[in-house]
Amino acid sequence: MKSTALHSSVDTLSLNEVLIALSISAVTNPIAQVAYEKLAELDGAQAHSTVMVNKNDEQTLKQLGIDITSAPLFPSENLYYQ
């Protein structure tokens, strides 16, 4: 949808967009509500990405209290990503 309807060059969802979708889904979906309520338990967690995480996602992870490390590989050949 991002690439077709919104004409975005990036067709993946950002972490912030995923969290927004989760919070909207939590209103009508009990499983999503449980997942949303468990987000606070991620504080102090550690995570590793096999590709470099963009600055916005890294900032969101820090706000959730997740310490992220990543491999020095770009997620695509396009070096001009955000």
Side-chain angles (χ1 to χ4, degrees), residues 8-44:
S8 174
S9 60
V10 180
D11 59 353
T12 58
L13 294 175
S14 70
L15 180 54
N16 196 35
E17 292 168 330
V18 171
L19 292 174
I20 290 169
L22 178 62
S23 66
I24 291 169
S25 298
V27 174
T28 58
N29 184 325
I31 296 171
Q33 182 179 2
V34 170
Y36 183 78
E37 291 169 354
K38 296 287 185 181
L39 287 175
E41 294 182 27
L42 294 175
D43 190 20

Side-chain angles (χ1 to χ4, degrees), residues 12 49-54 71-79 81-82:
T12 58
S49 174
T50 57
V51 295
M52 292 177 69
V53 178
N54 70 43
L73 300 174
F74 287 96
S76 72
E77 296 293 321
N78 182 3
L79 298 180
Y81 77 104
Q82 295 182 357

